[in-house]
Amino acid sequence: MNTFIELLAEKGFEKITIRDIAERANINRGTVYLHFVDKFDLLDKCIETYVALLLNHCANQADTNLNAGAFQSVFEYLEENFTVYKLLLSNEGFGFFRRRLYDIIAQTVTEVVGIKSENQAFSNGVTTHFLTSGFIGVLEWWINHSMPCNVKEITEQLMFLLEPYTKHLVSS
């Protein structure tokens, strides 16, 4: 996967071949095919891996509240792994990564809103998708514009924007 990411940065997905991956990784093409059906399968596995790494980091660092610590944890991790996530978010045709990330964040937001909400109006799909779309949009903007503000600033701005929602969510 590391070789694939390197080649992705250099050549772009369309120009990568299994031969390129094998040669760069100093392995036989057959070895690549033992693990992956084709480069599309490798891309899928790569996306799943990087989504899982981000989620595992967040699960280890944050609780189930929509709070500054949770957001800061996400942005610190993205800052540390900027190159890979910029590559996955900025490439045309890699909507797979964005969709997978969106689905997982929407599920998390739904759980948090459903568990913590004092107001039934905040436990519907509109709230979930509004919050998820906003967060993903900010995350993409921050990565695609090479982190124009630091982690603390983006966390503070998100918390300010989410204040109307967090007032209705009880922190545990």
Side-chain angles (χ1 to χ4, degrees):
M1 281 194 204
N2 291 335
T3 299
F4 177 71
I5 291 292
E6 289 172 11
L7 287 168
L8 196 56
E10 290 172 22
K11 300 174 94 170
F13 182 73
E14 294 303 319
K15 293 182 181 175
I16 295 174
T17 65
I18 294 296
R19 171 174 270 134
D20 295 333
I21 296 165
E23 286 176 5
R24 176 73 64 92
N26 201 24
I27 58 174
N28 187 305
R29 270 185 25 196
T31 304
V32 177
Y33 285 117
L34 282 175
H35 300 283
F36 308 101
V37 174
D38 55 21
K39 71 180 188 177
F40 295 96
D41 184 40
L42 178 52
L43 175 62
D44 289 342
K45 300 274 189 322
C46 189
I47 288 168
E48 287 298 317
T49 297
Y50 284 103
V51 167
L53 287 170
L54 176 60
L55 293 174
N56 288 339
H57 172 80
C58 295
N60 292 334
Q61 300 296 318
D63 56 26
T64 58
N65 291 310
L66 293 176
N67 62 30
F71 291 119
Q72 186 168 334
S73 177
V74 169
F75 285 102
E76 285 172 348
Y77 183 81
L78 291 172
E79 183 179 50
E80 291 167 16
N81 298 281
F82 174 76
T83 305
V84 170
Y85 288 97
K86 180 171 175 97
L87 186 61
L88 291 172
L89 279 169
S90 64
N91 274 285
E92 300 276 331
F94 284 9
F96 305 118
F97 180 77
R98 187 188 191 282
R99 279 192 301 273
R100 181 73 178 118
L101 192 59
Y102 186 98
D103 291 344
I104 290 167
I105 290 173
Q107 179 183 347
T108 303
V109 169
T110 299
E111 290 169 9
V112 170
V113 169
I115 292 168
K116 309 280 184 194
S117 182
E118 293 177 334
N119 182 340
Q120 277 304 106
F122 283 96
S123 61
N124 62 35
V126 173
T127 301
T128 293
H129 292 286
F130 176 78
L131 294 173
T132 303
S133 296
F135 179 71
I136 293 285
V138 168
L139 184 145
E140 284 180 317
W141 168 82
W142 191 69
I143 292 286
N144 289 329
H145 287 87
S146 299
M147 303 177 290
C149 56
N150 66 41
V151 170
K152 184 179 181 215
E153 291 169 329
I154 197 158
T155 301
E156 287 173 353
Q157 288 181 40
L158 274 173
M159 291 311 298
F160 174 77
L161 293 170
L162 290 172
E163 187 177 349
Y165 298 96
T166 57
K167 282 181 183 178
H168 296 285
L169 299 175
V170 178
S171 296
S172 54

